[in-house]
Amino acid sequence: MYGAIEGECYFRGIAGERFAVRNSGAVAVVEGAGDPLLRIHDRGIVVVLGKTGRNFAAGMSGGVAYVLDEAGDFSKLCNMAMVELEPVLSEEMINENAYHHIAISRAHGRSTCSRICLSPMSSGCTS
């Protein structure tokens, strides 16, 4: 995903270092990643369904990222210089504000047969 400009990718497993660096339009779902993740990310959507490395979003000037923060320590790993963190309050809120979230989560499940999904309540995910 280094320098991706378009397309979609769904990874079952954890990505290594520099995943989605210089992403400028692609959609990706991964079950965890090393550092730095989303460095200089300016467009596109990335969903992380697990742990992230440090320095997440350094230089991120656009795009959207969803992180499943089960451990509750993501704010310590995120570079807050250019981003704001907001909780996702409900599946309905996601549907209103980012309608493509469920489609991305479903595509990840279909493409990888993963048992992890961002929204276990939405159909198409396996749990």
Side-chain angles (χ1 to χ4, degrees), residues 9 14 18 28-29 32 37 57 67 75 81 95 108:
C9 58
I14 299 171
R18 299 180 186 250
V29 180
L37 177 65
V67 177
S75 63
N95 290 337
H108 175 257

Side-chain angles (χ1 to χ4, degrees), residues 12-59:
R12 181 177 184 181
I14 299 171
E17 306 293 310
R18 299 180 186 250
F19 182 74
V21 170
R22 294 192 183 271
N23 180 16
S24 61
V27 174
V29 180
V30 66
E31 295 176 354
D35 44 72
L37 177 65
L38 296 184
R39 183 176 167 95
I40 315 171
H41 175 82
D42 65 1
R43 289 187 299 134
I45 301 165
V46 173
V47 179
V48 183
L49 302 173
K51 290 199 149 291
T52 69
R54 60 186 170 75
N55 211 19
F56 182 96

